[in-house]
């Protein structure tokens, strides 16, 4: 039986979280077209008769000197150090640039085996030719390149096969029925954050986080009280919406997802609170990104 840890890295919005969810067959990580939706190192677990793969989904790799981004990039670097194999995900629509060079440099220095995953092959207009030339110039063999569509689940089984080829014999780190090791509070807050980001689209994804005040199982029914924290007063109105319609919609959708995932009815109460300039507070950022 084989087992091991595999990190998923790449630029923002390349489909890393979609890939994780597709392989593990569960919604583990937030999926959004908004860059850098993933903040934490999210673990997904896949187990079959061949063994167990523990995936670590990472924030999108983006070169920036902003404090929040630096903290996110720390997560990427630490995830690489924890793994036996790296999946480097490239969006087939993106022309290779400075970030691709930087990522490959980091991978090369790590001395860890890696596979290049070219995602979104179901899309017609692509930069596939430029990507393949770039990878060839970098000396990456075709055997180490897999072309997939994470969303359409094309060649997902091939990825699993390739991963197992690169893993060693080892134990099961988690019980077979586990598909993530996230604690309930984190999963719940990520569900609420994901729904909020989806509803707001590009208005303020980086300027909010979720604070769980109460999460209790009351007679086989979840009781959750959570706060959507924003950094600027004007952002409260954007989330609440006209006549409270916005936050009501967020609550309804989040409640439905939480109930489906935890297989329990759910009472969810949401409030929007201001924590001025929280996204410039190093201590708070460190606590949120782990």
């Amino acid at each position: 039986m084989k087992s091991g840890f595999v990190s998923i890295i790449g630029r923002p919005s390349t489909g890393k979280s979609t890939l994780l969810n597709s392989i593990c067959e569960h919604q583990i990580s937030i999926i959004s077209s908004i860059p850098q939706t993933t903040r934490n190192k999210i673990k997904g677990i896949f187990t079959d008769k061949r063994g167990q793969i523990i995936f670590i989904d990472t924030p999108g790799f983006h070169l920036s000197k902003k404090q929040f981004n630096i903290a996110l990039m720390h997560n990427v670097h630490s995830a690489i150090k924890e793994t036996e194999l790296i999946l480097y995900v490239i969006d087939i629509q993106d022309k290779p640039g400075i970030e691709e060079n930087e990522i490959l440099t980091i991978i090369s220095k790590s001395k860890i085996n890696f596979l290049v995953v070219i995602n979104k092959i179901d899309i017609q207009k692509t930069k596939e030719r430029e990507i393949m030339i770039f990878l060839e110039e970098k000396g990456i063999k075709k055997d180490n390149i897999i072309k997939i569509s994470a969303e359409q689940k094309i060649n997902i089984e091939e990825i699993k096969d390739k991963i197992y080829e690169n893993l060693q014999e080892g134990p099961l780190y988690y019980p077979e029925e586990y598909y993530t090791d996230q604690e309930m509070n984190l999963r719940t807050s990520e569900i609420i954050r994901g729904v909020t980001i989806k509803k707001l689209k590009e208005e303020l994804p980086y300027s909010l986080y979720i604070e769980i005040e109460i999460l209790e199982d009351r007679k086989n029914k979840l009781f959750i009280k959570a706060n959507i924290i924003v950094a600027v007063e004007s952002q409260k109105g954007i989330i609440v919406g006209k006549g409270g319609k916005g936050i009501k919609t967020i609550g309804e959708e989040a409640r439905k997802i939480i109930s489906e995932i935890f297989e329990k009815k759910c009472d969810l109460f949401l409030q929007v609170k201001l924590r001025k300039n929280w996204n410039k507070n190093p201590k708070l950022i460190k606590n949120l990104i782990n």
Side-chain angles (χ1 to χ4, degrees), residues 50-214:
R50 293 171 291 182
Q52 188 173 81
I53 309 168
I54 300 97
F55 294 94
I56 303 177
D57 187 18
T58 63
F61 188 92
H62 175 59
L63 296 173
S64 169
K65 293 182 179 179
K66 290 184 178 179
Q67 193 171 37
F68 197 81
N69 188 77
I70 290 170
L72 291 176
M73 291 308 94
H74 175 75
N75 264 2
V76 176
H77 287 276
S78 63
I80 289 173
K81 293 176 183 177
E82 297 170 11
T83 56
E84 286 91 9
L85 180 69
I86 299 167
L87 297 185
Y88 171 28
V89 182
I90 296 176
D91 187 334
I92 201 167
Q93 302 170 99
D94 294 340
K95 186 176 180 179
I98 187 170
E99 283 159 338
E100 273 70 34
N101 280 300
E102 185 66 24
I103 291 170
L104 285 175
T105 298
I106 292 168
I107 292 173
S108 177
K109 287 181 179 178
S110 75
K111 307 296 183 185
I112 297 171
N113 289 343
F114 70 96
L115 299 171
V116 176
V117 180
I118 300 176
N119 190 24
K120 306 182 186 180
I121 60 170
D122 53 306
I123 292 172
Q124 291 186 346
K125 292 184 179 180
T126 74
K127 301 291 183 182
E128 183 176 358
R129 184 173 176 275
E130 291 94 327
I131 292 168
M132 294 305 294
I133 291 171
F134 170 78
L135 295 175
E136 185 179 351
E137 289 174 348
K138 294 296 180 180
I140 296 172
K141 298 177 182 178
K142 288 186 178 180
D143 286 347
N144 284 358
I145 301 171
I146 308 173
K147 298 175 184 179
I148 70 156
S149 169
E151 185 173 0
Q152 300 300 322
K153 296 181 171 59
I154 299 171
N155 294 337
I156 295 300
E157 292 304 315
E158 284 77 358
I159 282 191
K160 294 175 187 176
D161 293 341
K162 276 282 190 182
I163 291 171
Y164 274 121
E165 287 175 16
N166 283 273
L167 296 183
Q168 303 296 319
E169 296 292 320
L172 294 184
Y173 291 93
Y174 295 92
E176 291 184 24
E177 67 272 16
Y178 276 39
Y179 58 87
T180 183
D181 71 342
Q182 293 179 55
E183 293 183 357
M184 198 169 182
N185 271 36
L186 176 59
R187 292 209 74 193
T188 302
S189 65
E190 285 293 274
I191 290 166
I192 298 168
R193 189 167 69 92
V195 172
T196 307
I197 288 171
K198 179 182 174 183
K199 295 300 178 185
L200 296 174
K201 300 195 183 296
E202 299 185 10
E203 291 186 79
L204 49 118
Y206 305 122
S207 301
L208 66 87
Y209 71 93
I210 309 302
E211 180 180 73
I212 304 294
E213 272 194 28
I214 302 172

Side-chain angles (χ1 to χ4, degrees), residues 20-21 24 26-30 42-44 179-180 182 187:
L20 175 68
N21 293 346
C24 296
H26 289 278
Q27 182 179 326
I28 298 166
S29 197
I30 295 176
I42 303 296
K43 284 184 183 175
Y179 58 87
T180 183
Q182 293 179 55
R187 292 209 74 193

